[in-house]
Amino acid sequence: MKEKSKILLSLFLISWTLFSVFLLITYGSQYIGKSYFDSNSFKGNLENFKSEIGRYVLEPFDVEEAKKQITVTKEEIEYHRNYYGSLTDQVENIKYQYQERIEQAADDPELKELLLHERDQKIEDIKKNFQDDSHVEEKIRQQKEAIIHRYAVLENENKKAFLDEYNYFAYSLRNIETGETFQSGDVNAEAVFKENFGDKNSYLVVNSSRTISPNEYDYTIMKPEMTIEGKVSRYEGTIIIPKSMMQNTQFKEDYQVFMTVKIILYSIWATSLLAIVGVMTVAKPSFRDFLFENRLKEYFLKMPIDLRIAATLFAIMITSLIFDITGNFIRFNYYYMNHEWIQIGIHLAIDLVLIYIFTSISILGALWTWESVNNEENIKYEWKRSLAYRLSDGIQDLFLSRSIGIQALAILTVAFLAGFGLAIVFIEPIFLLVYAILFIFIALPALILFLRNAGYLNRIMKQTKDMAEGRLTREVQVKGKSPLAQHAQNLNELQEGVRKSLSEQAKSERLKTELITNVSHDLRTPLTSIITYTDLLKNPNITEDERKRYIEILENKSHRLKTLIEDLFEVSKMSSGNVELKKERIDLTQLLQQAIGEHKEAFEKANLDLRVMLPNEPLYAYVDGQKWWRVIDNLIVNALKYSLEGTRVYITLKKVDSVAELAVKNIANYELGDNVEELTERFKRADESRHTEGSGLGLAIAQSIVDMHNGKLRISVDGDLFKVVVTVTAE
C-alpha cells in the first residue's frame, strides 16, 4: 500500500472510530440493552398517566366533601365587608349610581318607584353587612361553593380528555384500605409494557388533596386559593399496554423512531470495531507516518505556534459539533424529513465527509504541532515567533510610557465603540440622536487628538531625520506637556549633547596631538643630551674635569628621563584604576607642614614669599598617606616652578563643613590663557615653550589621586592669579 493511501485510510478509520466512540459515550446508556419503555420520553408519559388516573379515576373530586371543608374567618368577613370602602362610602356610592337614572325616570312613576326600591334594598344589604357577621359569612360561603362547582365541571371535562388520550392503557387497581377495585381493559392480554404495584413492588400512591384557585370574578374573597384536604390512598394491581393497542398509542411514532435509531447505532458501533481491526492490521500506521513531509504541513508550520494551536482547537471544536449534529440527525431528523431516504442519505454522506475532513485536520494539526515543540530549544524558538509573544512585547513597549499606553487604549476603545454604535444605528435608526451626541462629544475629540498627535509625531520624526543627517542647527518644537512634547525635549537635549560631544571630540583630538608632541619633546630633550654627551665622552682628548662635568650632566639627564618615565607609568596606572589605596587616619595639617618644610629653602632661593595658614588643631581624613603626600608635593612644586619671582605664594588648609580644603594660590610667570581645565591633562603646561623643568604630569597625577579618594580638584584663574583647591572628606 502506498504511503499516502495508507495515511488517508488510517485517518478515515480513526475518524469513524472516534465518531462511534462519541455516539457510544453520548447515547450508549440510552440504547444499549434498553427498550423504548426505558426511555425518558415514555417514562414521562407513564408518570403523567399515573398522576391523572389517580386524580380523575381513583380519587375523583368530591364536591360535597369539598363544601364541608369550607371555612370563613373573621379576617375574610372584614375583608369582604370593607372591600368597597366604609359604610358611608358604599351608601354614598349606591346613591350616586342611581341618582341619574331616578331623575331620568321622573315622568314614569312606576319605573321611578322600582329604582328607588332597588336602591333602598342595596343600601339595606350594605347596612346589614356592617351589622351582621353571619350575613357576610353566608355570602362568602356561597361564593366559595360556586368556585367548587366550577372546579368540579372543569374536572369532569379534563377526565373525558384523559380517558380519550390514554385509552390504550389497561389497568386493574385495588384500594388496599377500602378494597374498592377500578378496572379498564384486559390486563391479562399480551402486553408490550407492564407495571405491577403491591406485594414486592411499591404501591401506587394517590393524594386526593386539591388546591382550587378562584377566577378573576371572585375578587371579594380574601384568600386567592382554597385548599381541599384529601386523603392519601395506596393501590395494588397492574397497568399494561396491550400489544393490540400499540397502533392507538400516541407514542407509536416515537417507538418506531427509537427502534430504528437503535438499529443504526448498533450498526455504527459494530463497524467501528471493524475499523479498529483495520487500523491494527491493514493500515497499521506508526506515529512517524503521520509526520510525513508535504506542502500542507509546510504551510501549516509557517504559522505562529499559537495560531496553529488555535486552528487545531477550532478544528476539534467543529469536529465535536459535527459529531453532535450528526448524532441528533440520526436520532430525530430522519423522522421529520418524512422518511425521504434519499435526502437522509445525502445529508448523512455530507456529514460523514465533514467528519473525515475535520477529524483529519484535528489529528494532523495536533501531531504536527507537537512535533514542532518536542524539545526545549524548539519551544523557545516557537515562542519567539508566536503572536502572543509579539503582542506581549508590543504591550510592554506601549506601556513604557504609561500615559501613551492609556491614551492608545482609550482611542482604540472609542474607535471600537464608535464602529459598534454605527452598526446599532443602522439596525435601529432611533438611536441616531444619541449616537450623534456621543460622536460629537467623545469620538470627534478623540479623532482630533489622534490626528494632532500623529501630525506632531511626523514633525518630530522629520526633525529627528535632520539630526541623524548632521543638521543640528534647528531645535524640535516643544508643544504642551504630552509624552510627545517630552520626547521632543529629550531630542533637543540629545542634540545639545551631540554638539557638546563633537566639541569634546575636537578638543580630545587636539589634546591627543599635543600629548604626542609634548611627550616626544620631553622625552627627546634629555635623550638627545645623553646621546650628545655620551659621544663627547668617547673623545680621548678631553680633560678629566670635562669628563667629570659630562658625567654629571649625563647623570642629571638620566634622572630626568627616569622621572618622566616613572611619572608617565604612574599616571597611566591611575587612569586605568589599577592602583590600590591603603587608607588610614592621617593628620593633614602635619602632612602639609612636612611637605612645606622640605621645599622652604627652595622657595627662598627662588625669591618667593611663602605664606602658610594652617588650622590650630589637627585635621584628620582617611587617605592613603603616601599618595596624598604626592598630591601636596606636586601642588607645592607646581607653585615653585611657575610663580613669578618676587611674588607671594599662599598655601591654606582649613575645614569647611565636613570636608578638608587645601588651597594653593600664586602669580603665574607665564600667561595662562582661558583653558585652565586642560592643565590637568597629561604633559600639559602653562609654559607652552616647555623651557621649565618638569614632566607636565604633576597636576594630572594629583587629579588622578584626588579622584581615587572621591575628592575634588578645581583650578581657577583670575588674570595671572593661579589657584588650585583640593577637597576631601574630613573626619
Side-chain angles (χ1 to χ4, degrees):
M1 183 182 294
K2 293 183 178 180
E3 191 71 21
K4 189 173 182 180
S5 300
K6 177 181 177 181
I7 296 301
L8 294 176
L9 176 61
S10 300
L11 290 173
F12 173 77
L13 296 177
I14 293 172
S15 301
W16 183 254
T17 302
L18 291 175
F19 176 57
S20 302
V21 170
F22 173 82
L23 294 179
L24 180 64
I25 295 172
T26 307
Y27 305 120
S29 61
Q30 302 175 32
Y31 289 93
I32 296 177
K34 301 293 179 65
S35 69
Y36 170 76
F37 301 105
D38 296 315
S39 67
N40 292 331
S41 176
F42 175 76
K43 287 180 179 179
N45 198 24
L46 176 63
E47 290 302 318
N48 191 52
F49 170 77
K50 290 191 289 186
S51 173
E52 294 193 0
I53 194 175
R55 179 187 185 97
Y56 300 121
V57 178
L58 304 180
E59 298 290 339
F61 182 65
D62 189 340
V63 175
E64 297 303 321
E65 179 62 29
K67 288 181 180 180
K68 292 178 183 179
Q69 295 188 28
I70 293 177
T71 59
V72 180
T73 64
K74 186 68 176 177
E75 290 78 7
E76 288 179 303
I77 293 173
E78 289 298 323
Y79 179 83
H80 182 89
R81 175 180 289 156
N82 294 286
Y83 185 79
Y84 293 107
S86 64
L87 174 60
T88 55
D89 290 338
Q90 294 184 41
V91 171
E92 185 179 356
N93 186 40
I94 292 297
K95 288 180 178 181
Y96 177 76
Q97 292 178 20
Y98 279 88
Q99 181 179 353
E100 185 177 356
R101 294 172 63 190
I102 291 172
E103 291 174 355
Q104 291 174 353
D107 297 332
D108 188 347
E110 185 178 355
L111 177 59
K112 181 179 179 181
E113 183 65 27
L114 289 173
L115 289 172
L116 288 170
H117 180 70
E118 183 178 325
R119 182 197 66 184
D120 293 340
Q121 279 187 325
K122 287 188 177 182
I123 292 174
E124 188 63 30
D125 184 66
I126 291 172
K127 290 179 180 179
K128 195 172 183 180
N129 284 344
F130 282 87
Q131 294 170 356
D132 188 358
D133 288 351
S134 61
H135 180 70
V136 180
E137 181 180 351
E138 183 60 29
K139 284 184 177 182
I140 296 174
R141 188 176 295 276
Q142 289 175 3
Q143 281 185 304
K144 289 188 176 182
E145 287 180 355
I147 293 171
I148 290 172
H149 281 290
R150 286 198 302 269
Y151 182 78
V153 172
L154 182 62
E155 285 285 283
N156 285 331
E157 291 175 357
N158 291 338
K159 179 179 179 180
K160 291 177 182 179
F162 162 72
L163 294 175
D164 290 339
E165 183 179 359
Y166 292 98
N167 61 357
Y168 50 85
F169 274 98
Y171 57 86
S172 176
L173 299 168
R174 187 181 74 85
N175 189 316
I176 63 172
E177 284 85 11
T178 65
E180 185 179 5
T181 300
F182 300 86
Q183 186 169 351
S184 175
D186 184 7
V187 294
N188 295 317
E190 184 179 359
V192 294
F193 170 77
K194 183 176 183 180
E195 183 175 3
N196 295 316
F197 301 95
D199 295 335
K200 297 180 179 179
N201 304 301
S202 60
Y203 292 100
L204 177 62
V205 179
V206 178
N207 189 341
S208 61
S209 298
R210 299 286 197 280
T211 299
I212 303 173
S213 298
N215 60 30
E216 58 182 309
Y217 302 108
D218 301 316
Y219 44 79
T220 60
I221 298 179
M222 181 178 177
K223 294 184 179 179
E225 295 180 339
M226 294 171 55
T227 300
I228 307 300
E229 297 294 338
K231 58 183 178 178
V232 177
S233 304
R234 295 181 298 169
Y235 288 83
E236 62 180 2
T238 304
I239 294 176
I240 73 164
I241 299 177
K243 187 175 182 181
S244 59
M245 296 295 292
M246 275 297 293
Q247 293 303 316
N248 298 330
T249 62
Q250 62 180 3
F251 57 79
K252 63 180 180 180
E253 292 290 348
D254 288 342
Y255 178 80
Q256 293 173 1
V257 168
F258 182 90
M259 297 307 296
T260 304
V261 170
K262 187 174 182 179
I263 293 170
I264 293 173
L265 291 177
Y266 272 50
S267 300
I268 292 174
W269 291 329
T271 54
S272 69
L273 295 176
L274 296 176
I276 293 173
V277 173
V279 170
M280 298 175 64
T281 56
V282 180
K284 220 174 184 179
S286 65
F287 179 77
R288 300 301 306 174
D289 292 335
F290 292 104
L291 304 179
F292 64 97
E293 299 297 329
N294 59 82
R295 187 169 297 178
L296 178 62
K297 180 180 179 181
E298 181 181 345
Y299 291 147
F300 182 76
L301 293 179
K302 285 182 180 179
M303 297 165 58
I305 182 66
D306 41 7
L307 197 57
R308 269 180 270 157
I309 294 174
T312 303
L313 292 176
F314 179 75
I316 293 173
M317 182 181 70
I318 295 297
T319 303
S320 301
L321 182 61
I322 297 173
F323 281 0
D324 189 54
I325 292 173
T326 307
N328 284 325
F329 179 81
I330 291 173
R331 290 189 65 204
F332 304 114
N333 287 20
Y334 83 88
Y335 168 69
Y336 296 110
M337 294 178 70
N338 297 318
H339 298 266
E340 293 291 338
W341 295 107
I342 295 178
Q343 293 184 22
I344 294 172
I346 293 173
H347 195 291
L348 284 175
I350 293 173
D351 285 351
L352 293 178
V353 170
L354 292 175
I355 287 173
Y356 174 58
I357 292 173
F358 282 98
T359 305
S360 300
I361 292 174
S362 302
I363 293 172
L364 293 177
L367 293 177
W368 290 346
T369 301
W370 172 253
E371 180 192 20
S372 66
V373 292
N374 57 1
N375 59 59
E376 185 177 352
E377 183 178 348
N378 287 347
I379 291 174
K380 291 180 179 178
Y381 171 74
E382 294 292 349
W383 166 243
K384 289 183 178 179
R385 290 181 58 236
S386 67
L387 294 178
Y389 180 83
R390 299 175 197 172
L391 180 62
S392 63
D393 192 45
I395 292 176
Q396 288 178 1
D397 290 345
L398 179 64
F399 281 93
L400 288 175
S401 171
R402 183 178 297 179
S403 176
I404 290 179
I406 293 174
Q407 287 185 26
L409 287 180
I411 290 174
L412 288 174
T413 302
V414 170
F416 172 78
L417 294 177
F420 183 72
L422 188 61
I424 292 177
V425 168
F426 276 113
I427 298 172
E428 294 289 343
I430 192 174
F431 292 108
L432 178 60
L433 179 60
V434 176
Y435 179 79
I437 294 173
L438 293 176
F439 181 83
I440 292 172
F441 290 101
I442 298 179
L444 190 58
L447 178 62
I448 293 172
L449 176 65
F450 171 75
L451 294 176
R452 187 178 66 182
N453 286 343
Y456 190 28
L457 179 61
N458 281 334
R459 180 183 296 276
I460 292 174
M461 291 174 64
K462 182 179 182 303
Q463 291 185 256
T464 303
K465 182 180 179 182
D466 292 342
M467 290 172 57
E469 293 174 352
R471 295 189 288 275
L472 306 176
T473 56
R474 184 181 176 189
E475 286 192 348
V476 182
Q477 184 180 5
V478 178
K479 297 167 60 177
K481 296 182 179 181
S482 67
L484 289 178
Q486 182 62 45
H487 180 59
Q489 181 64 37
N490 293 338
L491 286 175
N492 288 335
E493 293 176 1
L494 176 62
Q495 184 173 240
E496 183 61 28
V498 171
R499 287 198 196 100
K500 291 181 179 179
S501 177
L502 292 175
S503 176
E504 290 293 330
Q505 185 177 359
K507 175 184 173 182
S508 176
E509 291 295 329
R510 177 173 59 81
L511 291 175
K512 186 187 297 184
T513 302
E514 291 181 2
L515 174 63
I516 295 172
T517 302
N518 294 338
V519 169
S520 300
H521 178 274
D522 287 354
L523 291 177
R524 185 172 61 247
T525 299
L527 186 59
T528 302
S529 298
I530 291 172
I531 294 172
T532 301
Y533 284 99
T534 301
D535 289 338
L536 290 174
L537 284 173
K538 292 178 181 179
N539 186 355
N541 298 322
I542 62 174
T543 65
E544 188 64 30
D545 292 335
E546 289 176 328
R547 185 182 302 278
K548 289 181 180 180
R549 186 164 57 87
Y550 293 163
I551 291 173
E552 184 179 352
I553 293 172
L554 282 174
E555 185 177 10
N556 291 335
K557 297 300 181 181
S558 298
H559 283 300
R560 167 72 177 154
L561 186 60
K562 178 183 177 184
T563 300
L564 282 171
I565 294 172
E566 286 179 348
D567 286 350
L568 181 61
F569 178 71
E570 185 172 0
V571 78
S572 297
K573 281 180 63 179
M574 291 181 182
S575 298
S576 63
N578 293 328
V579 177
E580 183 179 352
L581 296 179
K582 296 180 180 179
K583 291 184 178 183
E584 53 187 344
R585 188 169 181 264
I586 300 294
D587 181 2
L588 300 182
T589 303
Q590 182 181 1
L591 193 65
L592 179 59
Q593 287 175 335
Q594 293 175 358
I596 292 172
E598 288 191 9
H599 297 284
K600 190 172 183 180
E601 186 177 347
F603 274 93
E604 292 175 355
K605 289 181 180 181
N607 192 21
L608 295 174
D609 185 5
L610 184 62
R611 301 293 180 91
V612 180
M613 287 177 281
L614 300 176
N616 296 325
E617 56 187 18
L619 179 56
Y620 292 100
Y622 279 93
V623 294
D624 185 320
Q626 184 178 359
K627 296 290 189 300
W628 203 256
W629 168 274
R630 184 70 181 274
V631 171
I632 296 172
D633 188 67
N634 283 2
L635 295 181
I636 294 174
V637 170
N638 188 73
L640 179 62
K641 289 181 179 179
Y642 298 107
S643 293
L644 182 65
E645 184 179 356
T647 61
R648 299 182 184 89
V649 176
Y650 293 90
I651 300 176
T652 305
L653 178 64
K654 61 183 178 179
K655 185 175 183 180
V656 180
D657 295 330
S658 61
V659 298
E661 180 182 285
L662 170 65
V664 179
K665 294 185 289 183
N666 64 285
I667 302 298
N669 56 354
Y670 295 98
E671 187 176 351
L672 296 173
D674 296 327
N675 295 326
V676 293
E677 67 274 7
E678 292 182 7
L679 293 176
T680 56
E681 297 291 338
R682 284 168 284 182
F683 289 94
K684 188 70 178 178
R685 300 191 200 173
D687 174 17
E688 296 291 345
S689 62
R690 312 188 75 80
H691 289 157
T692 57
E693 291 292 330
S695 63
L697 296 172
L699 290 179
I701 292 173
Q703 177 74 70
S704 298
I705 294 174
V706 171
D707 288 342
M708 287 190 295
H709 284 83
N710 297 319
K712 292 182 180 179
L713 186 149
R714 298 189 302 274
I715 297 176
S716 62
V717 173
D718 186 2
D720 290 333
L721 176 63
F722 181 79
K723 180 179 180 180
V724 182
V725 178
V726 176
T727 58
V728 68
T729 302
E731 185 180 285

